[in-house]
Amino acid sequence: MAVKDRDRFSTATRIRLIGEQTAARVYRSQTKRQARRSRLTGRAALLALVVCSLIVALAYPMRQYVSQRTDIADLQQEKDEARRRVEHLRDMKARWQDDAYAEQQVRARLHYVMPGETGYIVIDPGAAEPPRADRGSAARPWYANVWDGVDKSDAAER
């Protein structure tokens, strides 16, 4: 037994035991890491493949759905506008059926007067004058005005 105790405390025995313990720890950690890594990687790859497949499979139908909903909304708006135009035109038709409205419009638009009435048209003297820019150009030929416009645009660029 004394030999056994002596071997137990020898340096070589201690180093061998430390090496075995270290090897056991390293082997355990590697197997845990490999098992965990391989299991997680396979599941993650499968999950990524399923998600990508779903995205690819649903992308085109979703785009079509969204574009069709947009088209439907546009057509609905056009239908509402057309309905409003039809209602306005029906109202105008009903107004024109009334003789008093027709007479009022003829007087206002065509300047008609009834027999025995005197019609007057007042012209605003300020509205009849041409603007200052057009006063000088009215007496000149058209091609001179065009050429002046080209010169002015060249001068503006410089």
mmCIF file with all atom_site columns, all heavy atoms in Angstrom, residues 94-114:
data_model
loop_
_atom_site.group_PDB
_atom_site.id
_atom_site.type_symbol
_atom_site.label_atom_id
_atom_site.label_alt_id
_atom_site.label_comp_id
_atom_site.label_asym_id
_atom_site.label_entity_id
_atom_site.label_seq_id
_atom_site.pdbx_PDB_ins_code
_atom_site.Cartn_x
_atom_site.Cartn_y
_atom_site.Cartn_z
_atom_site.occupancy
_atom_site.B_iso_or_equiv
_atom_site.pdbx_formal_charge
_atom_site.auth_seq_id
_atom_site.auth_comp_id
_atom_site.auth_asym_id
_atom_site.auth_atom_id
_atom_site.pdbx_PDB_model_num
ATOM 1   N N   . ALA A 1 94  ? -82.967 70.114 -66.645 1.00 0.00 ? 94  ALA A N   1
ATOM 2   C CA  . ALA A 1 94  ? -84.219 70.533 -66.010 1.00 0.00 ? 94  ALA A CA  1
ATOM 3   C C   . ALA A 1 94  ? -84.327 72.055 -65.969 1.00 0.00 ? 94  ALA A C   1
ATOM 4   O O   . ALA A 1 94  ? -85.408 72.620 -66.178 1.00 0.00 ? 94  ALA A O   1
ATOM 5   C CB  . ALA A 1 94  ? -84.310 69.959 -64.602 1.00 0.00 ? 94  ALA A CB  1
ATOM 6   N N   . ARG A 1 95  ? -83.215 72.731 -65.745 1.00 0.00 ? 95  ARG A N   1
ATOM 7   C CA  . ARG A 1 95  ? -83.241 74.199 -65.745 1.00 0.00 ? 95  ARG A CA  1
ATOM 8   C C   . ARG A 1 95  ? -83.586 74.742 -67.122 1.00 0.00 ? 95  ARG A C   1
ATOM 9   O O   . ARG A 1 95  ? -84.341 75.700 -67.252 1.00 0.00 ? 95  ARG A O   1
ATOM 10  C CB  . ARG A 1 95  ? -81.884 74.751 -65.316 1.00 0.00 ? 95  ARG A CB  1
ATOM 11  C CG  . ARG A 1 95  ? -81.620 74.669 -63.862 1.00 0.00 ? 95  ARG A CG  1
ATOM 12  C CD  . ARG A 1 95  ? -80.302 75.336 -63.549 1.00 0.00 ? 95  ARG A CD  1
ATOM 13  N NE  . ARG A 1 95  ? -79.913 75.131 -62.174 1.00 0.00 ? 95  ARG A NE  1
ATOM 14  C CZ  . ARG A 1 95  ? -78.733 75.448 -61.700 1.00 0.00 ? 95  ARG A CZ  1
ATOM 15  N NH1 . ARG A 1 95  ? -77.829 75.982 -62.491 1.00 0.00 ? 95  ARG A NH1 1
ATOM 16  N NH2 . ARG A 1 95  ? -78.450 75.244 -60.440 1.00 0.00 ? 95  ARG A NH2 1
ATOM 17  N N   . TRP A 1 96  ? -82.960 74.150 -68.150 1.00 0.00 ? 96  TRP A N   1
ATOM 18  C CA  . TRP A 1 96  ? -83.200 74.650 -69.510 1.00 0.00 ? 96  TRP A CA  1
ATOM 19  C C   . TRP A 1 96  ? -84.631 74.374 -69.971 1.00 0.00 ? 96  TRP A C   1
ATOM 20  O O   . TRP A 1 96  ? -85.106 74.996 -70.923 1.00 0.00 ? 96  TRP A O   1
ATOM 21  C CB  . TRP A 1 96  ? -82.197 74.063 -70.510 1.00 0.00 ? 96  TRP A CB  1
ATOM 22  C CG  . TRP A 1 96  ? -80.877 74.773 -70.461 1.00 0.00 ? 96  TRP A CG  1
ATOM 23  C CD1 . TRP A 1 96  ? -79.749 74.379 -69.830 1.00 0.00 ? 96  TRP A CD1 1
ATOM 24  C CD2 . TRP A 1 96  ? -80.568 76.030 -71.074 1.00 0.00 ? 96  TRP A CD2 1
ATOM 25  N NE1 . TRP A 1 96  ? -78.753 75.301 -69.991 1.00 0.00 ? 96  TRP A NE1 1
ATOM 26  C CE2 . TRP A 1 96  ? -79.230 76.320 -70.759 1.00 0.00 ? 96  TRP A CE2 1
ATOM 27  C CE3 . TRP A 1 96  ? -81.292 76.942 -71.841 1.00 0.00 ? 96  TRP A CE3 1
ATOM 28  C CZ2 . TRP A 1 96  ? -78.596 77.477 -71.191 1.00 0.00 ? 96  TRP A CZ2 1
ATOM 29  C CZ3 . TRP A 1 96  ? -80.643 78.088 -72.283 1.00 0.00 ? 96  TRP A CZ3 1
ATOM 30  C CH2 . TRP A 1 96  ? -79.320 78.356 -71.950 1.00 0.00 ? 96  TRP A CH2 1
ATOM 31  N N   . GLN A 1 97  ? -85.330 73.460 -69.329 1.00 0.00 ? 97  GLN A N   1
ATOM 32  C CA  . GLN A 1 97  ? -86.734 73.213 -69.667 1.00 0.00 ? 97  GLN A CA  1
ATOM 33  C C   . GLN A 1 97  ? -87.620 74.384 -69.226 1.00 0.00 ? 97  GLN A C   1
ATOM 34  O O   . GLN A 1 97  ? -88.697 74.603 -69.781 1.00 0.00 ? 97  GLN A O   1
ATOM 35  C CB  . GLN A 1 97  ? -87.232 71.916 -68.999 1.00 0.00 ? 97  GLN A CB  1
ATOM 36  C CG  . GLN A 1 97  ? -86.520 70.668 -69.456 1.00 0.00 ? 97  GLN A CG  1
ATOM 37  C CD  . GLN A 1 97  ? -86.718 70.365 -70.926 1.00 0.00 ? 97  GLN A CD  1
ATOM 38  O OE1 . GLN A 1 97  ? -87.790 70.617 -71.484 1.00 0.00 ? 97  GLN A OE1 1
ATOM 39  N NE2 . GLN A 1 97  ? -85.683 69.856 -71.572 1.00 0.00 ? 97  GLN A NE2 1
ATOM 40  N N   . ASP A 1 98  ? -87.136 75.149 -68.242 1.00 0.00 ? 98  ASP A N   1
ATOM 41  C CA  . ASP A 1 98  ? -87.875 76.310 -67.751 1.00 0.00 ? 98  ASP A CA  1
ATOM 42  C C   . ASP A 1 98  ? -87.639 77.489 -68.696 1.00 0.00 ? 98  ASP A C   1
ATOM 43  O O   . ASP A 1 98  ? -86.497 77.837 -68.998 1.00 0.00 ? 98  ASP A O   1
ATOM 44  C CB  . ASP A 1 98  ? -87.396 76.645 -66.337 1.00 0.00 ? 98  ASP A CB  1
ATOM 45  C CG  . ASP A 1 98  ? -88.183 77.784 -65.719 1.00 0.00 ? 98  ASP A CG  1
ATOM 46  O OD1 . ASP A 1 98  ? -89.309 78.041 -66.183 1.00 0.00 ? 98  ASP A OD1 1
ATOM 47  O OD2 . ASP A 1 98  ? -87.659 78.392 -64.762 1.00 0.00 ? 98  ASP A OD2 1
ATOM 48  N N   . ASP A 1 99  ? -88.728 78.104 -69.178 1.00 0.00 ? 99  ASP A N   1
ATOM 49  C CA  . ASP A 1 99  ? -88.607 79.207 -70.142 1.00 0.00 ? 99  ASP A CA  1
ATOM 50  C C   . ASP A 1 99  ? -87.954 80.435 -69.527 1.00 0.00 ? 99  ASP A C   1
ATOM 51  O O   . ASP A 1 99  ? -87.203 81.158 -70.196 1.00 0.00 ? 99  ASP A O   1
ATOM 52  C CB  . ASP A 1 99  ? -89.989 79.576 -70.693 1.00 0.00 ? 99  ASP A CB  1
ATOM 53  C CG  . ASP A 1 99  ? -90.527 78.485 -71.614 1.00 0.00 ? 99  ASP A CG  1
ATOM 54  O OD1 . ASP A 1 99  ? -89.689 77.742 -72.177 1.00 0.00 ? 99  ASP A OD1 1
ATOM 55  O OD2 . ASP A 1 99  ? -91.763 78.380 -71.742 1.00 0.00 ? 99  ASP A OD2 1
ATOM 56  N N   . ALA A 1 100 ? -88.188 80.701 -68.261 1.00 0.00 ? 100 ALA A N   1
ATOM 57  C CA  . ALA A 1 100 ? -87.607 81.886 -67.612 1.00 0.00 ? 100 ALA A CA  1
ATOM 58  C C   . ALA A 1 100 ? -86.084 81.767 -67.536 1.00 0.00 ? 100 ALA A C   1
ATOM 59  O O   . ALA A 1 100 ? -85.357 82.730 -67.786 1.00 0.00 ? 100 ALA A O   1
ATOM 60  C CB  . ALA A 1 100 ? -88.196 82.055 -66.218 1.00 0.00 ? 100 ALA A CB  1
ATOM 61  N N   . TYR A 1 101 ? -85.598 80.569 -67.223 1.00 0.00 ? 101 TYR A N   1
ATOM 62  C CA  . TYR A 1 101 ? -84.140 80.365 -67.156 1.00 0.00 ? 101 TYR A CA  1
ATOM 63  C C   . TYR A 1 101 ? -83.528 80.505 -68.537 1.00 0.00 ? 101 TYR A C   1
ATOM 64  O O   . TYR A 1 101 ? -82.464 81.119 -68.691 1.00 0.00 ? 101 TYR A O   1
ATOM 65  C CB  . TYR A 1 101 ? -83.821 78.993 -66.553 1.00 0.00 ? 101 TYR A CB  1
ATOM 66  C CG  . TYR A 1 101 ? -82.341 78.716 -66.447 1.00 0.00 ? 101 TYR A CG  1
ATOM 67  C CD1 . TYR A 1 101 ? -81.591 79.287 -65.429 1.00 0.00 ? 101 TYR A CD1 1
ATOM 68  C CD2 . TYR A 1 101 ? -81.702 77.890 -67.366 1.00 0.00 ? 101 TYR A CD2 1
ATOM 69  C CE1 . TYR A 1 101 ? -80.238 79.042 -65.321 1.00 0.00 ? 101 TYR A CE1 1
ATOM 70  C CE2 . TYR A 1 101 ? -80.338 77.640 -67.275 1.00 0.00 ? 101 TYR A CE2 1
ATOM 71  C CZ  . TYR A 1 101 ? -79.610 78.219 -66.250 1.00 0.00 ? 101 TYR A CZ  1
ATOM 72  O OH  . TYR A 1 101 ? -78.268 77.987 -66.160 1.00 0.00 ? 101 TYR A OH  1
ATOM 73  N N   . ALA A 1 102 ? -84.166 79.921 -69.554 1.00 0.00 ? 102 ALA A N   1
ATOM 74  C CA  . ALA A 1 102 ? -83.648 80.016 -70.921 1.00 0.00 ? 102 ALA A CA  1
ATOM 75  C C   . ALA A 1 102 ? -83.589 81.469 -71.369 1.00 0.00 ? 102 ALA A C   1
ATOM 76  O O   . ALA A 1 102 ? -82.606 81.909 -71.977 1.00 0.00 ? 102 ALA A O   1
ATOM 77  C CB  . ALA A 1 102 ? -84.507 79.189 -71.866 1.00 0.00 ? 102 ALA A CB  1
ATOM 78  N N   . GLU A 1 103 ? -84.636 82.241 -71.051 1.00 0.00 ? 103 GLU A N   1
ATOM 79  C CA  . GLU A 1 103 ? -84.640 83.653 -71.426 1.00 0.00 ? 103 GLU A CA  1
ATOM 80  C C   . GLU A 1 103 ? -83.522 84.412 -70.704 1.00 0.00 ? 103 GLU A C   1
ATOM 81  O O   . GLU A 1 103 ? -82.829 85.239 -71.300 1.00 0.00 ? 103 GLU A O   1
ATOM 82  C CB  . GLU A 1 103 ? -86.001 84.272 -71.071 1.00 0.00 ? 103 GLU A CB  1
ATOM 83  C CG  . GLU A 1 103 ? -86.129 85.723 -71.466 1.00 0.00 ? 103 GLU A CG  1
ATOM 84  C CD  . GLU A 1 103 ? -87.479 86.291 -71.072 1.00 0.00 ? 103 GLU A CD  1
ATOM 85  O OE1 . GLU A 1 103 ? -88.466 85.533 -71.020 1.00 0.00 ? 103 GLU A OE1 1
ATOM 86  O OE2 . GLU A 1 103 ? -87.520 87.501 -70.816 1.00 0.00 ? 103 GLU A OE2 1
ATOM 87  N N   . GLN A 1 104 ? -83.315 84.111 -69.454 1.00 0.00 ? 104 GLN A N   1
ATOM 88  C CA  . GLN A 1 104 ? -82.253 84.761 -68.688 1.00 0.00 ? 104 GLN A CA  1
ATOM 89  C C   . GLN A 1 104 ? -80.882 84.459 -69.286 1.00 0.00 ? 104 GLN A C   1
ATOM 90  O O   . GLN A 1 104 ? -80.039 85.349 -69.441 1.00 0.00 ? 104 GLN A O   1
ATOM 91  C CB  . GLN A 1 104 ? -82.299 84.289 -67.232 1.00 0.00 ? 104 GLN A CB  1
ATOM 92  C CG  . GLN A 1 104 ? -81.193 84.841 -66.369 1.00 0.00 ? 104 GLN A CG  1
ATOM 93  C CD  . GLN A 1 104 ? -81.118 84.134 -65.017 1.00 0.00 ? 104 GLN A CD  1
ATOM 94  O OE1 . GLN A 1 104 ? -81.838 83.171 -64.768 1.00 0.00 ? 104 GLN A OE1 1
ATOM 95  N NE2 . GLN A 1 104 ? -80.250 84.631 -64.166 1.00 0.00 ? 104 GLN A NE2 1
ATOM 96  N N   . GLN A 1 105 ? -80.646 83.222 -69.660 1.00 0.00 ? 105 GLN A N   1
ATOM 97  C CA  . GLN A 1 105 ? -79.365 82.848 -70.238 1.00 0.00 ? 105 GLN A CA  1
ATOM 98  C C   . GLN A 1 105 ? -79.162 83.489 -71.612 1.00 0.00 ? 105 GLN A C   1
ATOM 99  O O   . GLN A 1 105 ? -78.052 83.912 -71.944 1.00 0.00 ? 105 GLN A O   1
ATOM 100 C CB  . GLN A 1 105 ? -79.256 81.313 -70.338 1.00 0.00 ? 105 GLN A CB  1
ATOM 101 C CG  . GLN A 1 105 ? -79.152 80.635 -69.003 1.00 0.00 ? 105 GLN A CG  1
ATOM 102 C CD  . GLN A 1 105 ? -77.910 81.057 -68.241 1.00 0.00 ? 105 GLN A CD  1
ATOM 103 O OE1 . GLN A 1 105 ? -76.828 81.126 -68.800 1.00 0.00 ? 105 GLN A OE1 1
ATOM 104 N NE2 . GLN A 1 105 ? -78.098 81.391 -66.972 1.00 0.00 ? 105 GLN A NE2 1
ATOM 105 N N   . VAL A 1 106 ? -80.189 83.546 -72.419 1.00 0.00 ? 106 VAL A N   1
ATOM 106 C CA  . VAL A 1 106 ? -80.087 84.174 -73.740 1.00 0.00 ? 106 VAL A CA  1
ATOM 107 C C   . VAL A 1 106 ? -79.748 85.650 -73.581 1.00 0.00 ? 106 VAL A C   1
ATOM 108 O O   . VAL A 1 106 ? -78.908 86.190 -74.299 1.00 0.00 ? 106 VAL A O   1
ATOM 109 C CB  . VAL A 1 106 ? -81.394 83.968 -74.532 1.00 0.00 ? 106 VAL A CB  1
ATOM 110 C CG1 . VAL A 1 106 ? -81.441 84.863 -75.752 1.00 0.00 ? 106 VAL A CG1 1
ATOM 111 C CG2 . VAL A 1 106 ? -81.532 82.510 -74.937 1.00 0.00 ? 106 VAL A CG2 1
ATOM 112 N N   . ARG A 1 107 ? -80.383 86.323 -72.643 1.00 0.00 ? 107 ARG A N   1
ATOM 113 C CA  . ARG A 1 107 ? -80.089 87.745 -72.413 1.00 0.00 ? 107 ARG A CA  1
ATOM 114 C C   . ARG A 1 107 ? -78.644 87.933 -71.944 1.00 0.00 ? 107 ARG A C   1
ATOM 115 O O   . ARG A 1 107 ? -77.957 88.830 -72.411 1.00 0.00 ? 107 ARG A O   1
ATOM 116 C CB  . ARG A 1 107 ? -81.033 88.337 -71.366 1.00 0.00 ? 107 ARG A CB  1
ATOM 117 C CG  . ARG A 1 107 ? -82.424 88.592 -71.868 1.00 0.00 ? 107 ARG A CG  1
ATOM 118 C CD  . ARG A 1 107 ? -83.300 89.062 -70.703 1.00 0.00 ? 107 ARG A CD  1
ATOM 119 N NE  . ARG A 1 107 ? -84.600 89.461 -71.138 1.00 0.00 ? 107 ARG A NE  1
ATOM 120 C CZ  . ARG A 1 107 ? -84.986 90.734 -71.278 1.00 0.00 ? 107 ARG A CZ  1
ATOM 121 N NH1 . ARG A 1 107 ? -84.155 91.708 -71.023 1.00 0.00 ? 107 ARG A NH1 1
ATOM 122 N NH2 . ARG A 1 107 ? -86.199 91.010 -71.680 1.00 0.00 ? 107 ARG A NH2 1
ATOM 123 N N   . ALA A 1 108 ? -78.186 87.088 -71.024 1.00 0.00 ? 108 ALA A N   1
ATOM 124 C CA  . ALA A 1 108 ? -76.849 87.261 -70.461 1.00 0.00 ? 108 ALA A CA  1
ATOM 125 C C   . ALA A 1 108 ? -75.749 86.865 -71.447 1.00 0.00 ? 108 ALA A C   1
ATOM 126 O O   . ALA A 1 108 ? -74.759 87.565 -71.599 1.00 0.00 ? 108 ALA A O   1
ATOM 127 C CB  . ALA A 1 108 ? -76.715 86.450 -69.177 1.00 0.00 ? 108 ALA A CB  1
ATOM 128 N N   . ARG A 1 109 ? -75.918 85.759 -72.137 1.00 0.00 ? 109 ARG A N   1
ATOM 129 C CA  . ARG A 1 109 ? -74.852 85.240 -72.993 1.00 0.00 ? 109 ARG A CA  1
ATOM 130 C C   . ARG A 1 109 ? -74.839 85.879 -74.376 1.00 0.00 ? 109 ARG A C   1
ATOM 131 O O   . ARG A 1 109 ? -73.769 86.147 -74.922 1.00 0.00 ? 109 ARG A O   1
ATOM 132 C CB  . ARG A 1 109 ? -74.993 83.722 -73.144 1.00 0.00 ? 109 ARG A CB  1
ATOM 133 C CG  . ARG A 1 109 ? -74.726 82.971 -71.864 1.00 0.00 ? 109 ARG A CG  1
ATOM 134 C CD  . ARG A 1 109 ? -74.838 81.493 -72.092 1.00 0.00 ? 109 ARG A CD  1
ATOM 135 N NE  . ARG A 1 109 ? -74.658 80.749 -70.846 1.00 0.00 ? 109 ARG A NE  1
ATOM 136 C CZ  . ARG A 1 109 ? -74.601 79.441 -70.780 1.00 0.00 ? 109 ARG A CZ  1
ATOM 137 N NH1 . ARG A 1 109 ? -74.706 78.729 -71.876 1.00 0.00 ? 109 ARG A NH1 1
ATOM 138 N NH2 . ARG A 1 109 ? -74.446 78.846 -69.634 1.00 0.00 ? 109 ARG A NH2 1
ATOM 139 N N   . LEU A 1 110 ? -75.997 86.077 -74.947 1.00 0.00 ? 110 LEU A N   1
ATOM 140 C CA  . LEU A 1 110 ? -76.069 86.568 -76.328 1.00 0.00 ? 110 LEU A CA  1
ATOM 141 C C   . LEU A 1 110 ? -76.434 88.043 -76.429 1.00 0.00 ? 110 LEU A C   1
ATOM 142 O O   . LEU A 1 110 ? -76.528 88.586 -77.520 1.00 0.00 ? 110 LEU A O   1
ATOM 143 C CB  . LEU A 1 110 ? -77.083 85.733 -77.126 1.00 0.00 ? 110 LEU A CB  1
ATOM 144 C CG  . LEU A 1 110 ? -76.796 84.237 -77.173 1.00 0.00 ? 110 LEU A CG  1
ATOM 145 C CD1 . LEU A 1 110 ? -77.914 83.522 -77.898 1.00 0.00 ? 110 LEU A CD1 1
ATOM 146 C CD2 . LEU A 1 110 ? -75.465 83.966 -77.829 1.00 0.00 ? 110 LEU A CD2 1
ATOM 147 N N   . HIS A 1 111 ? -76.655 88.677 -75.282 1.00 0.00 ? 111 HIS A N   1
ATOM 148 C CA  . HIS A 1 111 ? -76.999 90.106 -75.220 1.00 0.00 ? 111 HIS A CA  1
ATOM 149 C C   . HIS A 1 111 ? -78.275 90.405 -76.006 1.00 0.00 ? 111 HIS A C   1
ATOM 150 O O   . HIS A 1 111 ? -78.373 91.423 -76.683 1.00 0.00 ? 111 HIS A O   1
ATOM 151 C CB  . HIS A 1 111 ? -75.847 90.986 -75.721 1.00 0.00 ? 111 HIS A CB  1
ATOM 152 C CG  . HIS A 1 111 ? -74.556 90.732 -75.009 1.00 0.00 ? 111 HIS A CG  1
ATOM 153 N ND1 . HIS A 1 111 ? -74.370 91.068 -73.695 1.00 0.00 ? 111 HIS A ND1 1
ATOM 154 C CD2 . HIS A 1 111 ? -73.382 90.163 -75.420 1.00 0.00 ? 111 HIS A CD2 1
ATOM 155 C CE1 . HIS A 1 111 ? -73.133 90.730 -73.337 1.00 0.00 ? 111 HIS A CE1 1
ATOM 156 N NE2 . HIS A 1 111 ? -72.525 90.174 -74.378 1.00 0.00 ? 111 HIS A NE2 1
ATOM 157 N N   . TYR A 1 112 ? -79.259 89.524 -75.944 1.00 0.00 ? 112 TYR A N   1
ATOM 158 C CA  . TYR A 1 112 ? -80.547 89.774 -76.587 1.00 0.00 ? 112 TYR A CA  1
ATOM 159 C C   . TYR A 1 112 ? -81.385 90.700 -75.708 1.00 0.00 ? 112 TYR A C   1
ATOM 160 O O   . TYR A 1 112 ? -81.261 90.675 -74.482 1.00 0.00 ? 112 TYR A O   1
ATOM 161 C CB  . TYR A 1 112 ? -81.317 88.470 -76.786 1.00 0.00 ? 112 TYR A CB  1
ATOM 162 C CG  . TYR A 1 112 ? -80.906 87.683 -78.019 1.00 0.00 ? 112 TYR A CG  1
ATOM 163 C CD1 . TYR A 1 112 ? -79.699 87.872 -78.630 1.00 0.00 ? 112 TYR A CD1 1
ATOM 164 C CD2 . TYR A 1 112 ? -81.778 86.758 -78.571 1.00 0.00 ? 112 TYR A CD2 1
ATOM 165 C CE1 . TYR A 1 112 ? -79.337 87.144 -79.749 1.00 0.00 ? 112 TYR A CE1 1
ATOM 166 C CE2 . TYR A 1 112 ? -81.433 86.026 -79.679 1.00 0.00 ? 112 TYR A CE2 1
ATOM 167 C CZ  . TYR A 1 112 ? -80.201 86.224 -80.263 1.00 0.00 ? 112 TYR A CZ  1
ATOM 168 O OH  . TYR A 1 112 ? -79.859 85.511 -81.364 1.00 0.00 ? 112 TYR A OH  1
ATOM 169 N N   . VAL A 1 113 ? -82.225 91.485 -76.348 1.00 0.00 ? 113 VAL A N   1
ATOM 170 C CA  . VAL A 1 113 ? -83.168 92.343 -75.624 1.00 0.00 ? 113 VAL A CA  1
ATOM 171 C C   . VAL A 1 113 ? -84.563 92.094 -76.173 1.00 0.00 ? 113 VAL A C   1
ATOM 172 O O   . VAL A 1 113 ? -84.733 91.677 -77.320 1.00 0.00 ? 113 VAL A O   1
ATOM 173 C CB  . VAL A 1 113 ? -82.789 93.839 -75.753 1.00 0.00 ? 113 VAL A CB  1
ATOM 174 C CG1 . VAL A 1 113 ? -81.495 94.120 -75.039 1.00 0.00 ? 113 VAL A CG1 1
ATOM 175 C CG2 . VAL A 1 113 ? -82.714 94.278 -77.183 1.00 0.00 ? 113 VAL A CG2 1
ATOM 176 N N   . MET A 1 114 ? -85.529 92.338 -75.337 1.00 0.00 ? 114 MET A N   1
ATOM 177 C CA  . MET A 1 114 ? -86.913 92.166 -75.771 1.00 0.00 ? 114 MET A CA  1
ATOM 178 C C   . MET A 1 114 ? -87.327 93.376 -76.616 1.00 0.00 ? 114 MET A C   1
ATOM 179 O O   . MET A 1 114 ? -86.728 94.455 -76.509 1.00 0.00 ? 114 MET A O   1
ATOM 180 C CB  . MET A 1 114 ? -87.827 92.053 -74.542 1.00 0.00 ? 114 MET A CB  1
ATOM 181 C CG  . MET A 1 114 ? -87.555 90.831 -73.679 1.00 0.00 ? 114 MET A CG  1
ATOM 182 S SD  . MET A 1 114 ? -87.777 89.294 -74.541 1.00 0.00 ? 114 MET A SD  1
ATOM 183 C CE  . MET A 1 114 ? -89.552 89.213 -74.586 1.00 0.00 ? 114 MET A CE  1
#
